[in-house]
Amino acid sequence: MADSPTKAQVVSFSRGACYGTCPVYDFYIFPDDNFVFIGRAHVDKIGAYRGTLEAGAFQSLINLVDNNNFLKLSRIGYFGKSNSESATFKCGSYETDHPTVSIGVQLQEMELTVAHNLGCSDFPDEQVLLKMFATFEQVVVLNSKGLI
């Protein structure tokens, strides 16, 4: 498949702003298990920092997205509140003041992204998304000591 996550050149995990002091950062992971952390707000270190993950971390994350319908989820793209009547996705329930988290898979010719506003809940695939985001965030937290 031409747009398969197994062909990824970079995977990313991002955490956006909320109405409080939520950490805001981007975390990019490369096939050689190196990473780049970019702290944007409410983190210990603002700016870009490099490091190395445990061997096999990149492939493990690629397997995670491959095994959890990432391609299907990326066709929806954004799981959050929409005021548009024509929106293809609707939250079961929604609470304000939550950040949006996203996973991106950069392929040679395109980027696939799944973003979830954490205030959006009670929808099909919610548990799949939460599991993927929790696993990515665990990798970030374990490997960015002193940054977040």
Side-chain angles (χ1 to χ4, degrees):
M1 175 181 289
D3 59 355
S4 170
T6 57
K7 307 278 188 218
Q9 297 177 327
V10 178
V11 293
S12 63
F13 177 82
S14 297
R15 182 172 271 282
C18 66
Y19 290 115
T21 57
C22 299
V24 180
Y25 59 83
D26 299 308
F27 196 86
Y28 300 92
I29 305 147
F30 300 90
D32 62 0
D33 293 320
N34 284 315
F35 72 84
V36 172
F37 169 88
I38 302 174
R40 301 194 182 280
H42 310 294
V43 293
D44 292 341
K45 301 275 186 175
I46 301 293
Y49 299 87
R50 296 178 182 268
T52 302
L53 302 172
E54 205 173 283
F58 178 86
Q59 189 58 52
S60 171
L61 294 172
I62 290 298
N63 292 343
L64 176 71
V65 297
D66 251 357
N67 294 330
N68 283 285
N69 292 318
F70 190 80
L71 289 174
K72 179 187 110 181
L73 297 170
S74 71
R75 288 185 186 103
I76 296 170
Y78 178 68
F79 293 83
K81 185 176 182 184
S82 174
N83 294 324
S84 169
E85 291 298 320
S86 63
T88 56
F89 173 79
K90 304 267 191 221
C91 295
S93 61
Y94 184 78
E95 298 174 6
T96 60
D97 300 343
H98 291 274
T100 295
V101 293
S102 65
I103 293 173
V105 177
Q106 180 66 52
L107 305 170
Q108 189 167 11
E109 299 172 6
M110 66 182 356
E111 182 176 10
L112 304 173
T113 303
V114 174
H116 177 211
N117 180 297
L118 295 178
C120 176
S121 60
D122 301 326
F123 60 88
D125 295 318
E126 178 183 15
Q127 293 308 310
V128 171
L129 282 178
L130 292 175
K131 176 186 169 193
M132 273 197 301
F133 287 122
T135 302
F136 267 80
E137 191 155 43
Q138 182 179 27
V139 168
V140 171
V141 169
L142 289 174
N143 289 283
S144 58
K145 291 184 180 7
L147 298 174
I148 298 178

